[in-house]
Amino acid sequence: MSWPIRSLAEVAPIRSRKPEFFDGARRYYSTGAVGKSGELDAPELVTFAERPSRANSMPRIGDVGFARMNGTQKVVLISEAELGSLFSTGFCFLEPNDRLDSKYLFYFLTSGGFQSQKNALAGEGIMGGIKNADVANLQIPLPPLSEQQRIVRLLDGAFEGIAIAKVNAEKNLENARALFESHLQSVFTQSSIGWTDSALEDVCEFFNGLWKGEKPPFTRVGVIRNTNFTKNGMLDDSDIAFLDVEVKKFEKRRLKYGDIILEKSGGGPKQAVGRVALFEKKAGDFSFSNFTAALRILDSELVDFRFLHKFLYWTYLSGATEGMQSNSTGIRNLDGDAYKSIRFRYPPLAEQRQIASLLDDLQVITDSLAQIYTEKQACLEALKESLLHQAFHGNLRTA
């Protein structure tokens, strides 16, 4: 189908609407507060005098904005709910004329076709971004207004269904995780006769990662960092850093099969630390970074390492380690010695292994559902992009 092509300057000129003085506080949306499909996070409240320098755009109802930065897909349609709000100057706002439907323009700006055009013309780096002159020359297919509105209705309906499918997939994943965590809770909070109660330091040996002031000779070692920890308490070995470390220090901190690595430092004051990872490699030279510690079971005939790993994973999930953390430097820290006094209850070895095996099976099911969820999300995103591509090439039809 052949539709006329128009430049954005012809049908949706750029509007740089700066805020006039106002009393009190108003909502401010940075680029980070806007999602790729127009969803809005909680805004910051700012006054006129103390607002950030970039909080200098106040669009009107019907304006459509997109993030100028290369590789940043953020698009927003201003409705009555956003009237009077401030937006970052990182957005370029367009005002569609009477030949262009605002929602049609919004969908066009979210499409891969437009985003590719924008990225090709945008500069690199934090000061990059497409210039007004280049925005004005970008082109948009312009069917009759009635056809634009038909396309919007079809996309609205399709995207509503996709959103529902995403929510359902996420609920299934949350339910699976909740089931796994409830089993963890039932295991480690029950009052069972015959279970031994000990401090961790009575059943484990602790090691801290200290790689400062090293001297030759050196050896090449795979160093486990907290970035290698997964959400489910396991180890992601796809991106292990290999470094030259002092031989003498390495021999004291060589990881062995069944060791458990503990996270000591996190990425910020709001990020709780205390994640764990189970080391199950049987070959190779590996150790752990300064931001982690490790523990090793003293008697494998007394404690099963998989059972202990699940206990430490539950300790983290339940928030038990948060009270042992400090953040005086702006980074959450957890002294490896803090673990030593944690009370660890465990049944006879055979029962430990049985419990650990059951939890491992549940973990496999949860991980499988997580993979299905990830794949489904990717498919739904691909479907959205396919529908947008069809819409702006005249191929979107009702079933």
Side-chain angles (χ1 to χ4, degrees):
M1 182 174 294
S2 178
W3 290 335
I5 304 297
R6 297 288 182 262
S7 69
L8 287 178
E10 293 180 80
V11 293
I14 297 171
R15 294 292 185 237
S16 299
R17 310 186 197 277
K18 295 184 178 181
E20 297 181 356
F21 176 79
F22 57 85
D23 290 319
R26 296 208 174 192
R27 293 167 296 180
Y28 165 57
Y29 294 95
S30 65
T31 53
V34 178
K36 62 185 296 184
S37 298
E39 57 273 21
L40 298 176
D41 289 337
E44 180 183 352
L45 292 179
V46 300
T47 64
F48 184 85
E50 297 180 353
R51 72 191 192 281
S53 59
R54 291 175 70 85
N56 205 34
S57 178
M58 186 179 285
R60 297 176 183 172
I61 295 175
D63 287 356
V64 186
F66 66 91
R68 295 176 179 270
M69 294 280 292
N70 187 354
T72 304
Q73 182 172 336
K74 309 275 188 175
V75 184
V76 60
L77 170 60
I78 303 302
S79 67
E80 187 174 354
E82 290 77 53
L83 184 62
S85 298
L86 303 179
F87 281 79
S88 169
T89 52
F91 287 102
C92 175
F93 279 99
L94 309 175
E95 181 185 29
N97 64 20
D98 57 6
R99 292 185 292 163
L100 180 60
D101 183 86
S102 292
K103 193 68 175 288
Y104 177 86
L105 174 61
F106 167 81
Y107 279 135
F108 174 73
L109 297 181
T110 64
S111 70
F114 171 80
Q115 291 293 323
S116 295
Q117 289 185 70
K118 183 205 77 173
N119 290 337
L121 296 170
E124 297 291 341
I126 193 168
M127 299 305 293
I130 188 168
K131 296 179 174 59
N132 285 353
D134 291 326
V135 173
N137 290 326
L138 292 176
Q139 297 182 326
I140 181 172
L142 194 71
L145 194 59
S146 59
E147 176 64 8
Q148 295 177 41
Q149 293 166 346
R150 185 189 74 87
I151 290 171
V152 166
R153 288 194 298 272
L154 291 176
L155 291 176
D156 280 347
F159 289 173
E160 181 180 357
I162 289 173
I164 292 173
K166 283 186 173 183
V167 169
N168 290 337
E170 188 167 359
K171 283 183 178 178
N172 289 336
L173 178 59
E174 289 176 355
N175 290 340
R177 286 175 173 162
L179 176 63
F180 177 70
E181 291 179 13
S182 69
H183 276 277
L184 281 175
Q185 181 177 13
S186 66
V187 168
F188 296 115
T189 59
Q190 63 181 321
S191 298
S192 297
I193 299 175
W195 284 38
T196 302
D197 188 320
S198 299
L200 272 182
E201 64 180 343
D202 294 332
V203 296
C204 298
E205 181 180 8
F206 287 77
F207 305 88
N208 278 310
L210 298 172
W211 300 102
K212 298 178 181 178
E214 296 186 33
K215 301 177 182 179
F218 296 100
T219 185
R220 197 73 170 169
V221 172
V223 178
I224 309 300
R225 302 162 294 177
N226 50 3
T227 55
N228 298 119
F229 288 40
T230 67
K231 290 182 178 180
N232 60 5
M234 303 305 289
L235 179 66
D236 177 7
D237 60 2
S238 63
D239 186 30
I240 292 177
F242 284 84
L243 306 173
D244 291 325
V245 302
E246 183 180 340
V247 172
K248 185 176 180 180
K249 289 184 177 180
F250 169 61
E251 290 304 327
K252 295 180 180 180
R253 297 171 180 84
R254 181 195 296 270
L255 286 169
K256 296 182 180 180
Y257 179 81
D259 286 350
I260 300 170
I261 311 169
L262 314 171
E263 181 185 41
K264 295 196 304 180
S265 295
K270 295 183 180 180
Q271 178 181 337
V273 294
R275 293 179 299 167
V276 299
L278 182 60
F279 185 78
E280 296 182 281
K281 286 184 171 294
K282 295 184 178 180
D285 292 336
F286 295 92
S287 189
F288 46 97
S289 75
N290 291 336
F291 300 106
T292 62
L295 60 81
R296 182 174 300 151
I297 292 171
L298 293 172
D299 186 352
S300 60
E301 294 301 315
L302 184 67
V303 175
D304 179 76
F305 68 88
R306 295 185 190 280
F307 181 84
L308 177 58
H309 168 254
K310 293 296 189 295
F311 167 76
L312 291 170
Y313 180 45
W314 166 245
T315 300
Y316 165 70
L317 286 180
S318 65
T321 59
E322 288 198 41
M324 301 185 293
Q325 298 172 21
S326 64
N327 59 356
S328 58
T329 61
I331 297 177
R332 288 261 189 150
N333 293 292
L334 179 63
D335 188 341
D337 290 340
Y339 280 96
K340 294 183 180 181
S341 60
I342 291 178
R343 305 306 299 182
F344 171 50
R345 297 177 58 258
Y346 55 94
L349 188 64
E351 188 176 348
Q352 291 179 50
R353 289 172 175 167
Q354 183 180 18
I355 292 171
S357 178
L358 171 63
L359 291 173
D360 280 341
D361 290 343
L362 286 173
Q363 185 72 72
V364 169
I365 295 172
T366 303
D367 291 347
S368 176
L369 287 173
Q371 180 63 30
I372 292 172
Y373 166 78
T374 300
E375 292 173 354
K376 187 167 186 176
Q377 294 289 77
C379 288
L380 291 172
E381 283 298 317
L383 175 59
K384 285 182 67 174
E385 187 52 47
S386 174
L387 290 170
L388 288 169
H389 178 81
Q390 293 178 55
F392 298 111
H393 287 78
N395 298 321
L396 193 62
R397 295 287 181 268
T398 55

